[in-house]
């Protein structure tokens, strides 16, 4: 036991202070000695991979994939340079160098595995290395496009040190093959240790990757390549669906609040029904947290509750009405003259993601008492009878817990991949591949997500869309945006759809103030309003073609002139 503890400490300490993504200290080789002799050695080495995934701190908080860099969320009191198009070329970029440091470590394991006698004993860890190499390369692909492909743990004198970048198609092909290999090698998720990735996780990630790259190519004119990739995405998602090993979290005991409480499930009392993480049938692969051993470590409840995050009017307006129609078409939409009206007769996800006015909301320090919502419970609330008078006027509650726990010690898991995404991936991939989608395919995917807590809402069908003059693509994208809000998808979706140039330059708007009840409830507002009376939180945003990719950092360009800078960013 002592032997492995020493090894694990050594492994985790390796390669943290490096000059270049490919300029690696020879110590990262790890002397053979008595290492790589048993399957346990491979497992110990692979444990480090699990610290590389997205988590609250690099998804909900500002980071490359955060919704804060999109058109949906703004930080209160500050503007995001990536969202308003004023970011510049950085001197260095940890997103770039960290990815390559991690890729090297996956390559070390894969190289050592080649000479291991009993391959079946280490198949799971080979699969994990393949999965995480793909995971890291996908991040590089999304951020930088063309990148150098390295499949061996090269040393500092290797010619790859001065290589030109591989075309993104080669990068995508490597990712896809790695994930296919991982799916063959990994055990089914139900048989692996909690927190480790299983076979369905590899298929789910493949659906994400192939959908991303397939639509990226399609909407940039490469239709044949796009169609092939979209076929891979649809088939990978269907693999997960067909296993029937996962389902949407919708316990009857929680009713319509099921979706809300899924995101804050802990292994202590955290919801009215007392359900714990074991009840979650939706998370295919998650970043696991524990209050004592691995708390979230950031102020997640305070970061997310109420107007700490400013939500755009654009997002609020996306929620359908209960008749299945958008607000501009629905006869049951109440309008926005009164503060509460906008929330009435809407998709139930609206009132469990945003804060419905005049309701009570609890936090980690002003917590629930008995979970009944009675007078005693309400007296303990952090927000009592909410009347929005700050920020954008739209308040968020997603990711905010209701039980008592010290700041930063919340312990709900972060969903790296959840089943709802897979279902939405399937619907979109089929539609974009075929130019149409059957009602049968909609019912086994998108409509399950849509009707999870909207039992009375009409399903999306081809006849419904035709009758009400709805655009199927718009409705598929609407469902994705609503369901995956604040989980780190929106800006990447706008990029792959090539709609960021239209969506991102728009003014970031809050509630309609002029001529509404807000004028009396929220007097003295200093924000400018547009011609329709909506408050303007930010104007003058811009989006140029160069913003579809991040610029390479100058230190890497100096180390390897063959990299070349991304288009539009100069040299």
């Amino acid at each position: 036991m002592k032997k492995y503890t020493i090894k694990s400490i050594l492994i985790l300490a390796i390669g943290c202070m490096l000059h270049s993504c490919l300029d690696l200290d020879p110590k990262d080789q790890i002397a053979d000695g008595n290492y790589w002799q048993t399957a346990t050695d491979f497992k110990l080495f692979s444990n480090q991979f699990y610290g590389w995934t997205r988590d609250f701190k690099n998804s909900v908080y500002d980071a490359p994939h955060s919704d804060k860099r999109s058109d949906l969320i703004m930080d209160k009191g500050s503007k995001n340079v990536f969202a308003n198009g004023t970011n510049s070329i950085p001197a260095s970029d940890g997103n770039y160098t960290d990815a390559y440091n991690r890729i090297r470590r996956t390559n070390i394991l894969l190289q050592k595995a080649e000479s291991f006698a009993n391959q079946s004993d280490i198949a799971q860890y080979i699969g994990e290395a393949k999965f995480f190499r793909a995971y890291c390369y996908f991040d590089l692909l999304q951020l930088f496009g063309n990148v150098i492909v390295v499949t061996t743990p090269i040393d500092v004198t290797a010619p790859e040190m001065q290589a030109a970048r591989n075309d993104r198609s080669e990068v995508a092909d490597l990712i896809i093959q790695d994930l296919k290999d991982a799916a063959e090698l990994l055990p089914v998720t139900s048989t692996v240790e909690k927190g480790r990735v299983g076979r369905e996780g590899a298929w789910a990630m493949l659906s994400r990757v192939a959908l991303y790259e397939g639509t990226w190519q399609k909407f940039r004119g490469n239709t044949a390549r796009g169609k092939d990739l979209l076929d891979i995405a649809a088939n990978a998602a269907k693999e997960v669906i067909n296993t029937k090993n996962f389902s949407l979290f919708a316990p009857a005991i929680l009713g319509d609040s099921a979706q809300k409480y899924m995101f804050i499930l802990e292994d202590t009392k955290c919801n009215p029904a007392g359900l714990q993480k074991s009840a979650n049938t939706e998370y295919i692969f998650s970043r696991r947290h524990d209050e004592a051993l691995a708390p979230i470590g950031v102020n997640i409840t305070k970061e997310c509750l109420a107007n700490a995050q400013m939500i755009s009017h654009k997002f609020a307006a996306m929620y359908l009405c209960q008749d299945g129609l958008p607000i501009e078409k629905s006869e049951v939409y109440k309008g926005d003259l009164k503060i509460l009206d906008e929330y009435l007769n809407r998709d139930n996800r609206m009132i469990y993601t945003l804060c419905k006015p005049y309701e009570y909301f609890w936090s980690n320090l002003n917590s629930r008492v008995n979970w009944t919502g009675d007078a005693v419970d309400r007296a303990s609330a952090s927000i009592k009878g909410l009347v929005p008078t700050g920020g954008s006027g739209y308040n968020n509650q997603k990711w905010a817990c209701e039980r008592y726990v010290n700041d930063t010690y919340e312990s709900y898991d972060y969903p790296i991949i959840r089943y709802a995404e897979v279902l939405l991936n399937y619907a979109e991939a089929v539609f974009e591949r075929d130019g149409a989608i059957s009602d049968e395919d909609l019912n086994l995917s998108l409509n399950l997500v849509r009707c999870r807590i909207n039992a009375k809402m009409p399903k999306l069908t081809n006849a419904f869309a035709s009758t009400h003059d709805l655009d199927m693509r718009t409705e598929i994208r609407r469902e994705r945006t609503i369901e995956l809000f604040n989980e780190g998808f929106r800006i990447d979706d706008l990029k792959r759809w090539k709609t960021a140039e239209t969506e991102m330059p728009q003014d970031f708007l809050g509630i309609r103030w002029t001529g509404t009840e807000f004028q009396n409830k929220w007097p003295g507002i200093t924000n400018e309003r547009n011609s329709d009376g909506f408050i303007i939180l930010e104007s003058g945003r811009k989006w140029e073609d160069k913003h579809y990719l991040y610029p390479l950092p100058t230190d890497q360009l100096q180390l390897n002139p063959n990299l070349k800078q991304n288009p539009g960013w100069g040299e």
Side-chain angles (χ1 to χ4, degrees):
M1 183 67 185
K2 182 178 179 181
K3 163 184 155 184
Y4 292 126
T5 302
I6 293 171
K7 288 180 183 178
S8 61
I9 292 171
L10 171 64
I11 291 163
L12 292 174
I14 286 170
C16 294
M17 300 176 66
L18 306 169
H19 294 293
S20 165
C21 65
L22 301 179
D23 181 12
L24 294 159
D25 191 314
K27 286 184 292 185
D28 202 31
Q29 301 278 356
I30 299 182
D32 286 339
N34 61 359
Y35 209 81
W36 307 112
Q37 300 302 306
T38 69
T40 303
D41 292 338
F42 285 85
K43 179 180 180 180
L44 282 171
F45 192 86
S46 67
N47 286 348
Q48 68 185 293
F49 304 162
Y50 288 89
W52 304 346
T53 63
R54 289 192 209 173
D55 200 354
F56 294 99
K57 67 184 67 176
N58 53 19
S59 183
V60 177
Y61 284 71
D62 181 47
H65 306 286
S66 171
D67 282 7
K68 291 182 177 180
R69 297 192 181 184
S70 77
D71 55 343
L72 303 185
I73 301 177
M74 278 183 64
D75 263 326
K76 190 174 182 180
S78 64
K79 296 179 180 181
N80 191 295
V81 297
F82 296 93
N84 63 27
T86 60
N87 60 301
S88 57
I89 302 172
S92 61
D93 190 339
N95 297 299
Y96 190 86
T97 53
D98 286 351
Y100 276 108
N101 290 331
R102 293 165 177 173
I103 288 166
R104 175 180 174 82
R105 294 174 196 178
T106 63
N107 286 337
I108 288 173
L109 187 148
L110 292 171
Q111 183 185 69
K112 296 298 183 181
E114 292 175 1
S115 58
F116 192 78
N118 194 337
Q119 292 286 296
S120 63
D121 286 353
I122 60 169
Q124 178 178 352
Y125 312 117
I126 296 172
E128 290 180 343
K130 292 267 190 174
F131 177 91
F132 282 100
R133 183 168 70 178
Y135 189 92
C136 293
Y137 264 119
F138 184 49
D139 203 56
L140 287 170
L141 178 73
Q142 288 183 296
L143 298 186
F144 303 105
N146 302 341
V147 293
I148 299 173
V149 169
V150 182
T151 57
T152 58
I154 61 173
D155 60 37
V156 294
T157 61
E160 289 91 339
M161 286 291 296
Q162 296 300 313
R165 291 189 276 169
N166 294 74
D167 184 81
R168 66 180 298 137
S169 63
E170 297 176 82
V171 183
D173 286 345
L174 172 68
I175 296 169
I176 289 167
Q177 189 58 56
D178 272 354
L179 291 172
K180 287 181 176 179
D181 291 346
E184 293 300 316
L185 292 163
L186 292 169
V188 296
T189 305
S190 61
T191 66
V192 301
E193 294 175 47
K194 295 293 185 183
R196 298 191 90 91
V197 66
R199 181 174 303 160
E200 298 92 337
W203 287 121
M205 182 58 69
L206 179 55
S207 77
R208 179 188 293 180
V209 170
L211 176 64
Y212 183 93
E213 189 62 11
T215 48
W216 180 282
Q217 295 294 340
K218 175 177 179 175
F219 295 115
R220 288 161 176 81
N222 194 346
T223 53
R225 169 74 170 169
K227 187 169 184 176
D228 288 345
L229 290 166
L230 289 164
D231 189 58
I232 292 172
N235 290 333
K238 195 66 180 298
E239 287 278 355
V240 181
I241 294 169
N242 287 344
T243 67
K244 302 186 186 304
N245 291 336
F246 294 91
S247 60
L248 297 177
F249 180 77
I253 194 170
L254 288 178
D256 290 346
S257 68
Q259 187 204 35
K260 167 186 174 175
Y261 287 110
M262 173 180 69
F263 294 117
I264 53 174
L265 276 181
E266 300 182 83
D267 284 334
T268 188
K269 178 80 174 186
C270 58
N271 57 78
L275 297 179
Q276 298 182 342
K277 293 180 184 181
S278 59
N280 190 344
T281 57
E282 184 163 340
Y283 286 10
I284 296 173
F285 178 37
S286 59
R287 183 72 173 258
R288 304 273 294 179
H289 290 288
D290 177 271
E291 185 175 352
L293 301 176
I296 289 174
V298 292
N299 236 334
I300 187 66
T301 298
K302 285 185 171 59
E303 169 67 18
C304 293
L305 183 60
N307 63 9
Q309 296 178 336
M310 299 195 294
I311 311 302
S312 67
H313 168 73
K314 179 193 288 186
F315 177 68
M318 285 186 188
Y319 285 101
L320 295 171
C321 295
Q322 277 294 315
D323 58 6
L325 296 175
I327 59 175
E328 63 271 16
K329 291 179 177 287
S330 176
E331 293 183 358
V332 301
Y333 178 56
K334 295 293 187 180
D336 57 7
L337 293 181
K338 293 184 178 180
I339 291 173
L340 184 59
D341 283 354
E342 201 170 351
Y343 296 80
L344 301 177
N345 300 330
R346 303 291 294 277
D347 180 335
N348 286 324
R349 286 174 290 185
M350 185 176 192
I351 61 171
Y352 290 113
T353 301
L354 306 184
C355 294
K356 183 180 178 182
Y358 304 117
E359 296 291 333
Y360 288 70
F361 300 93
W362 294 262
S363 67
N364 62 308
L365 297 181
N366 296 98
S367 60
R368 291 274 198 167
V369 176
N370 55 29
W371 300 89
T372 66
D374 66 7
V376 174
D377 219 13
R378 293 197 303 270
S380 179
S382 177
I383 300 170
K384 301 175 176 68
L386 172 69
V387 176
T389 55
S392 69
Y394 297 107
N395 289 256
N396 178 69
Q397 63 169 306
K398 187 170 181 177
W399 304 124
C401 79
E402 296 183 345
R403 78 171 180 100
Y404 184 86
V405 57
N406 289 330
D407 288 347
T408 78
Y409 279 84
E410 295 94 331
S411 61
Y412 24 100
D413 298 340
Y414 177 79
I416 301 164
I417 311 169
R418 61 185 177 98
Y419 190 55
E421 182 203 341
V422 173
L423 297 178
L424 295 171
N425 289 350
Y426 180 75
E428 185 180 351
V430 169
F431 177 80
E432 296 297 351
R433 179 192 66 190
D434 301 338
I437 183 170
S438 68
D439 291 349
E440 180 183 7
D441 278 332
L442 284 169
N443 285 338
L444 67 82
S445 59
L446 179 148
N447 281 325
L448 295 178
V449 178
R450 175 181 183 141
C451 299
R452 178 217 302 255
I453 60 169
N454 290 300
K456 296 181 180 179
M457 184 182 288
K459 293 180 179 179
L460 178 62
T461 65
N462 284 278
F464 186 85
S466 177
T467 298
H468 298 285
D469 194 27
L470 300 177
D471 176 69
M472 186 64 75
R473 175 180 288 151
T474 299
E475 296 311 306
I476 289 172
R477 291 179 178 180
R478 181 198 306 277
E479 288 294 334
R480 182 178 182 86
T481 304
I482 292 297
E483 180 66 26
L484 301 178
F485 170 73
N486 214 353
E487 293 181 48
F489 288 92
R490 177 63 172 179
I491 188 60
D492 293 320
D493 286 343
L494 295 182
K495 287 179 178 180
R496 65 185 177 87
W497 295 331
K498 206 176 184 302
T499 58
E501 61 213 52
T502 301
E503 302 293 342
M504 290 303 294
Q506 297 173 15
D507 288 350
F508 192 103
L509 303 178
I511 51 91
R512 187 157 73 94
W513 186 86
T514 305
T516 74
E517 187 181 8
F518 276 107
Q519 279 194 260
N520 295 323
K521 297 286 188 178
W522 188 357
I525 191 171
T526 58
N527 294 89
E528 182 184 354
R529 274 83 68 195
N530 69 9
S531 59
D532 294 317
F534 291 92
I535 61 175
I536 302 173
L537 279 302
E538 185 176 9
S539 59
R541 287 185 167 196
K542 62 181 180 179
W543 187 273
E544 302 174 44
D545 279 347
K546 69 178 184 179
H547 292 120
Y548 279 103
L549 294 173
Y550 277 38
L552 270 72
T554 54
D555 62 349
Q556 298 305 312
L557 294 170
Q558 291 168 354
L559 287 164
N560 179 5
N562 289 321
L563 286 175
K564 305 299 181 184
Q565 185 55 277
N566 272 328
W569 290 102
E571 293 293 331

